[in-house]
Amino acid sequence: KLPRPYTLPFKVPPVIKPVRSDATTDYYHIAQRTGVAEILPGVKTPVFGYEGISPGPTIRATRGREVVLRMTNELPARHPRWGYEAWTSCHLHGSASLPQYDGYASDITRPGQVKTYRYPNTQDARTLWYHDHGVHHTAENAYMGLAAQYHLVDPLEQSLPIPKGDYEAPLILTDKIFNSNGEFIYDDNGHSGLYGDVILVNGVPWPLMKVEQRKYRFRVLNASLARGFRLQLSTRDPMTVIGTDGGLMVRPQTTAQLRLGMAERYEIVIDFAKYKPGQRVELRNLGVKNSVDYDNTGKIMAFEVTGPAKSLADNAVSDPDGLLNPQAPAMDLAPAMAVQKRKLEVERKNGQWVISGTTWADVVKSDYRKVVAKPKLDTVEQWEIVNKSGGWFHPVHIHLVDFKIIERNGKAPFNYELGPKDVVYVGENETVKVLARFGPHKGRYMIHCHNLPHEDHDMMTQFEVVGDSE
Ligand code: C2O
Ligand code: CU
């Protein structure tokens, strides 16, 4: 009784309004609670959602205005079927938040408790997402639905002639497994990964979106637990990548295929101008190595062209110079600026996922003092991340910073990953090198694999940004 692909209408999550605003700040209240979603037609699925919906409401923030978010955990004390205590921690992924507001995994909010987060919004315009990070249950909580987008906009980005408004949409990709009652099944194959047979876009299985003959901008987010995607249009026409995790690229890049690991965001522009009214263009998933595929996991969604565009405003992919974001701070980094080089090894050891030999349990045991690196505030470092785990890929996320990928297996990175990043796809036996400037805050921040069953068991550690004398 799964729906046929491309029969359900595309939809986007609602944008949440602040409860109040003052001269500097927008205040939001969000409750984490259970909800009922109709994901499969006529079937009720229990979810955990921000405001009870999944994906949660989009927060639209403006650069220079702080967001204060009061997050209430109204979840049941224990997950009704899986039994764990439904504690949470909210992480705004892509934000340089202070440590106490970063959704530190062990800084949990138990059912019935409240925590207020502050987000500075001083970075460049970008697509962020907020999702659960509660220690050992991040995967179940996110899978149950605690994930949503957060758009940071700024005047530079708003002034560019790139598609906006009706011509811009999130594409939040997840995969699920349902039981015959319509409930989610959680099976992470011994903590190696969960691979659903149903692909959702913004919570809808394989939706169909009506589009006009013009360009559209999509904020693509892979919010799956373990599924990597390789996107391709059925026409094999190129897509234009205009943004990466940390915001707009300096120069847009075209590609016919886009590999997207968990937590990566790519802003892509697809031009539907040359397709005929009535024509369908599919967005397909060619799959990645060591994933588990089912009949329809090669399909994501389809676009159906309605006719001529009602408006051709902002129908471009860059400004007239061909540059989008010449000032992207993370791009202003060169290997010669690095004052320190480090190596992180991700692997499977003694039945555990580890980063440079350590796990989150080691961090906990040290009373949260153990760190794998102590970069000095405002200095640049070069980190080499080596995947020694054989048949697994690991999207490695470094909190706090935007980084620049400078090398993938001794060669140039893919053209679409040349923008500012905070997650890097470290494929099977791959080695990548990244450069980052460590700041703007001191403190301890997590580094982990964004395969969430890996993260929970226990592929997560931390670094500490320290002052000069420390
Ligand atoms: Cu998107 Cu530490 O997470
Ligand atoms: Cu991993």
Side-chain angles (χ1 to χ4, degrees):
K1 54 175 162 81
L2 296 176
R4 264 195 306 125
Y6 318 143
T7 54
L8 298 171
F10 178 78
K11 62 175 198 204
V12 299
V15 175
I16 190 171
K17 292 205 176 62
V19 289
R20 78 191 165 88
S21 294
D22 62 24
T24 59
T25 308
D26 298 311
Y27 300 84
Y28 291 89
H29 290 178
I30 291 181
Q32 300 161 336
R33 53 172 193 256
T34 44
V36 175
E38 189 178 326
I39 299 168
L40 307 176
V43 177
K44 292 197 179 353
T45 300
V47 299
F48 284 0
Y50 295 114
E51 293 294 278
I53 60 168
S54 174
T58 302
I59 295 176
R60 199 173 157 87
T62 306
R63 186 176 189 179
R65 290 187 58 75
E66 198 183 16
V67 161
V68 172
L69 172 58
R70 185 172 188 274
M71 191 61 94
T72 314
N73 184 344
E74 295 178 5
L75 294 169
R78 296 202 165 265
H79 188 286
R81 286 179 299 126
W82 306 334
Y84 68 89
E85 185 180 353
W87 62 54
T88 60
S89 178
C90 180
H91 172 52
L92 179 56
H93 183 139
S95 169
S97 305
L98 284 164
Q100 62 270 39
Y101 304 127
D102 197 44
Y104 196 66
S106 299
D107 178 17
I108 53 171
T109 305
R110 294 179 185 275
Q113 295 181 331
V114 181
K115 171 157 175 139
T116 299
Y117 294 87
R118 307 185 79 95
Y119 301 127
N121 299 322
T122 49
Q123 295 159 292
D124 278 10
R126 61 184 61 195
T127 301
L128 306 91
W129 62 305
Y130 60 104
H131 65 78
D132 192 61
H133 221 304
V135 65
H136 296 319
H137 299 297
T138 296
E140 291 105 320
N141 285 343
Y143 184 69
M144 281 298 289
L146 291 174
Q149 281 197 357
Y150 180 113
H151 302 163
L152 178 57
V153 302
D154 73 16
L156 166 77
E157 176 249 352
Q158 291 298 297
S159 71
L160 291 168
I162 53 183
K164 307 182 173 61
D166 290 347
Y167 301 115
E168 171 192 336
L171 300 184
I172 303 172
L173 312 182
T174 55
D175 57 335
K176 307 285 183 192
I177 318 170
F178 294 85
N179 69 16
S180 53
N181 299 326
E183 295 159 329
F184 293 141
I185 292 175
Y186 184 88
D187 176 4
D188 72 4
N189 299 295
H191 308 323
S192 60
L194 179 147
Y195 304 95
D197 57 340
V198 181
I199 305 292
L200 310 186
V201 181
N202 302 339
V204 181
W206 306 286
L208 176 68
M209 179 186 187
K210 308 246 184 199
V211 294
E212 300 168 10
Q213 289 168 307
R214 56 155 290 151
K215 295 190 175 76
Y216 282 72
R217 170 186 181 184
F218 298 104
R219 298 173 183 261
V220 185
L221 159 66
N222 180 352
S224 289
L225 300 193
R227 181 178 294 285
F229 291 91
R230 201 147 43 94
L231 309 180
Q232 187 185 60
L233 295 171
S234 51
T235 56
R236 300 181 189 224
D237 285 328
M239 306 173 273
T240 304
V241 180
I242 62 168
T244 51
D245 307 331
L248 296 174
M249 302 179 84
V250 173
R251 219 178 271 282
Q253 301 287 332
T254 55
T255 184
Q257 288 186 14
L258 179 62
R259 185 174 76 167
L260 184 71
M262 296 76 80
E264 285 189 286
R265 288 90 70 211
Y266 284 104
E267 296 198 25
I268 62 174
V269 171
I270 302 177
D271 192 356
F272 299 99
K274 67 170 173 199
Y275 307 126
K276 294 188 191 47
Q279 189 174 344
R280 270 195 189 183
V281 178
E282 287 174 47
L283 182 63
R284 293 190 178 143
N285 170 28
L286 301 179
V288 301
K289 262 193 250 170
N290 296 305
S291 179
V292 180
D293 293 311
Y294 296 94
D295 286 356
N296 284 324
T297 48
K299 299 184 165 73
I300 298 173
M301 65 180 291
F303 305 96
E304 189 173 282
V305 179
T306 53
K310 296 198 181 82
S311 162
L312 283 170
D314 297 333
N315 194 42
V317 294
S318 65
D319 72 11
D321 300 329
L323 294 177
L324 268 171
N325 189 12
Q327 257 106 52
M331 297 299 98
D332 187 27
L333 295 174
M337 296 159 78
V339 300
Q340 184 70 250
K341 288 186 181 171
R342 303 183 199 267
K343 190 190 225 172
L344 291 182
E345 294 176 334
V346 293
E347 59 188 321
R348 179 130 184 128
K349 232 185 194 163
N350 308 322
Q352 277 200 304
W353 298 109
V354 300
I355 299 180
S356 292
T358 71
T359 63
W360 194 248
D362 298 323
V363 172
V364 175
K365 233 180 286 154
S366 73
D367 199 20
Y368 304 101
R369 274 188 271 266
K370 188 183 175 87
V371 295
V372 291
K374 274 195 179 184
K376 291 208 188 305
L377 182 65
D378 289 326
T379 64
V380 176
E381 295 199 355
Q382 177 177 315
W383 289 15
E384 182 177 9
I385 308 172
V386 186
N387 181 353
K388 295 173 60 178
S389 63
W392 300 95
F393 75 93
H394 305 281
V396 174
H397 174 36
I398 306 175
H399 279 231
L400 181 69
V401 296
D402 292 342
F403 55 73
K404 176 179 179 175
I405 303 175
I406 53 170
E407 227 180 85
R408 180 176 277 293
N409 303 324
K411 295 197 225 91
F414 299 121
N415 70 335
Y416 53 79
E417 57 183 3
L418 291 174
K421 295 281 295 163
D422 56 38
V423 185
V424 58
Y425 192 122
V426 191
E428 291 77 356
N429 305 308
E430 286 189 343
T431 294
V432 297
K433 286 185 186 160
V434 305
L435 287 174
R437 183 183 303 279
F438 284 83
H441 310 301
K442 291 200 269 185
R444 292 193 277 259
Y445 288 92
M446 298 175 285
I447 311 172
H448 60 89
C449 175
H450 225 292
N451 175 317
L452 296 182
H454 294 187
E455 176 194 326
D456 281 339
H457 303 278
D458 212 6
M459 201 171 209
M460 180 160 71
T461 186
Q462 61 180 356
F463 63 98
E464 182 173 9
V465 181
V466 297
D468 248 346
S469 54
E470 286 166 84

